[in-house]
Amino acid sequence: MDFGLVLQTDPPASRVISLMKRAERNGFRYGWTFDSAVLWQEPFVIYSQILANTQKLTVGPMVTNPGTRTWEVTASTFATLNDMFGNRTVCGIGRGDSAMRVAGRKPNTLARISEAMKVIRALARGEEADLGGTVVRIPWIKPGAELPVWMAAYGPKALKMTGEEADGFILQLADLYLTEYMVKAVKDAAVAAGRDPGDVTICVAAPAYVTEDDSPQALAHAREQCRWFGGMVGNHVADLVAKYGEHSSAVPDELTDYIKARQGYDYAHHGRSGNPDTQFVPDEIVDRFCLIGPVERHIEKLNALRELGVDQFAVYDMHDAQEAVIDAYGTQVIPAVNG
């Protein structure tokens, strides 16, 4: 199983780079960041420095979207980084929850994501693509250039499209039941489209918080540090409920039931521990969606995720123990899982 580190690009950028270097030293193979231009610093500028200061780390956004940059700019940016550092980027893409809403726009449609994935992937590989009636190709891209495009999804139509079109699937939660359910949906869609389901890389991303023991006090602190994640996921779940209704056969109740007490969301606190808009998230959801507790619990859940077909676990590292979690994973968790 591969491991990734997910960070916000809060200033100073030097700290983001330092944590990514630490992650690579500890056996992590991927470095991911949020991509929301109003809330955080521009990730692609920082990727250049991460790549320059690491040897093998693959970097990318978790996730970008088709609405905040034109597609040829996105493709050219990835291609430039790959030309400089050797095909060490991956394009995570989704509807653009925070990036679009903070700027007063609606998240992108699935049709727009589908078109964008095709265009960005083709252009970044040096192939031709149609930009709404104008066919272009980036002439300086060398043969052999690659850009995998991984799609973030929760709902049935998005999962289907991921299986049909994406190189990878990003699932932002680590609940075992929902992971099994959604991975199956993606792989079934791949098979139905005539694809090898093994060609779709499966990435589960969630907060991880390692405690010294499983005492009530230690677990309570870990839950408070990770509760923000249920609120972040809840934004997407609320969209699904608005579209499909409550207790819809299209979306599992295990995903939707917990947002009944949700009363709104301020993106000023997005993705941060202590987010006051996430107190509706119960402990049960934190435990299901995240990895918390002693090292042994992490190893057990990661092994279970791997059995469900997960190829990468990406650690959301937004809490008060960033270095400690990276080091614990490097010295204890990753060797045990991959040993």
Side-chain angles (χ1 to χ4, degrees):
M1 179 183 279
D2 286 334
F3 287 83
L5 184 73
V6 191
L7 299 173
Q8 295 167 332
T9 51
D10 284 318
S14 58
R15 174 159 174 79
V16 177
I17 297 161
S18 176
L19 288 170
M20 290 297 185
K21 290 168 63 178
R22 191 183 197 110
E24 184 179 59
R25 291 196 302 270
N26 276 282
F28 289 73
R29 291 191 55 201
Y30 284 78
W32 302 92
T33 74
F34 283 38
D35 177 18
S36 191
V38 174
L39 297 177
W40 301 291
Q41 292 186 328
E42 172 55 37
F44 287 94
V45 176
I46 299 172
Y47 294 158
S48 185
Q49 288 298 304
I50 295 171
L51 290 165
N53 283 276
T54 57
Q55 284 69 54
K56 297 182 179 180
L57 204 68
T58 295
V59 305
M62 190 176 281
V63 293
T64 194
N65 72 87
T68 53
R69 298 179 184 84
T70 60
W71 303 345
E72 68 272 21
V73 169
T74 299
S76 181
T77 303
F78 277 114
T80 301
L81 292 171
N82 284 337
D83 186 66
M84 293 171 68
F85 299 103
N87 286 345
R88 289 171 56 196
T89 67
V90 56
C91 177
I93 195 166
R95 296 179 65 226
D97 174 48
S98 65
M100 297 296 286
R101 286 182 165 126
V102 167
R105 309 184 189 112
K106 293 181 179 179
N108 295 271
T109 64
L110 291 180
R112 185 169 173 82
I113 295 172
S114 174
E115 187 178 358
M117 286 199 298
K118 295 180 178 70
V119 169
I120 292 167
R121 183 196 289 119
L123 289 178
R125 293 175 175 176
E127 301 166 0
E128 289 186 345
D130 188 339
L131 295 174
T134 301
V135 176
V136 300
R137 182 180 70 84
I138 301 175
W140 50 262
I141 296 179
K142 300 172 185 175
E146 287 293 335
L147 179 67
V149 180
W150 297 6
M151 182 175 165
Y154 293 109
K157 292 182 180 179
L159 294 169
K160 181 175 182 290
M161 196 175 91
T162 300
E164 293 171 343
E165 302 180 22
D167 301 304
F169 167 42
I170 296 172
L171 174 57
Q172 292 165 311
L173 54 80
D175 176 77
L176 296 179
Y177 171 80
L178 292 172
T179 297
E180 181 176 19
Y181 178 96
M182 294 185 185
V183 168
K184 183 179 185 301
V186 168
K187 294 198 171 188
D188 285 351
V191 171
R195 303 181 67 193
D196 181 348
D199 289 343
V200 184
T201 302
I202 307 297
C203 175
V204 162
Y209 198 101
V210 179
T211 61
E212 291 187 5
D213 54 43
D214 57 1
S215 66
Q217 296 83 0
L219 294 178
H221 179 77
R223 290 184 182 113
E224 288 309 313
Q225 288 295 307
C226 298
R227 199 175 304 278
W228 62 267
F229 183 67
M232 186 185 83
V233 173
N235 296 325
H236 304 284
V237 174
D239 287 343
L240 291 174
V241 171
K243 182 173 184 177
Y244 294 102
E246 293 185 1
H247 306 298
S248 167
S249 60
V251 185
D253 289 344
E254 288 83 355
L255 178 63
T256 59
D257 276 352
Y258 84 97
I259 69 160
K260 290 178 180 177
R262 181 179 181 270
Q263 295 182 340
Y265 193 85
D266 183 351
Y267 283 92
H269 308 290
H270 189 56
R272 301 190 185 281
S273 60
N275 185 334
D277 296 323
T278 63
Q279 290 308 304
F280 72 92
V281 179
D283 288 351
E284 176 197 2
I285 289 294
V286 180
D287 292 348
R288 283 174 45 200
F289 284 14
C290 306
L291 275 70
I292 66 170
V295 163
E296 293 75 17
R297 285 198 185 183
H298 292 250
I299 296 169
E300 180 182 8
K301 192 165 188 178
L302 288 165
N303 283 331
L305 288 168
R306 182 171 55 187
E307 288 297 314
L308 297 176
V310 175
D311 301 299
Q312 179 186 155
F313 178 66
V315 176
Y316 275 105
D317 203 29
M318 280 76 78
H319 45 57
D320 64 0
Q322 289 181 300
E323 289 91 349
V325 167
I326 294 170
D327 293 348
Y329 265 65
T331 59
Q332 301 178 76
V333 177
I334 294 175
V337 172
N338 290 336

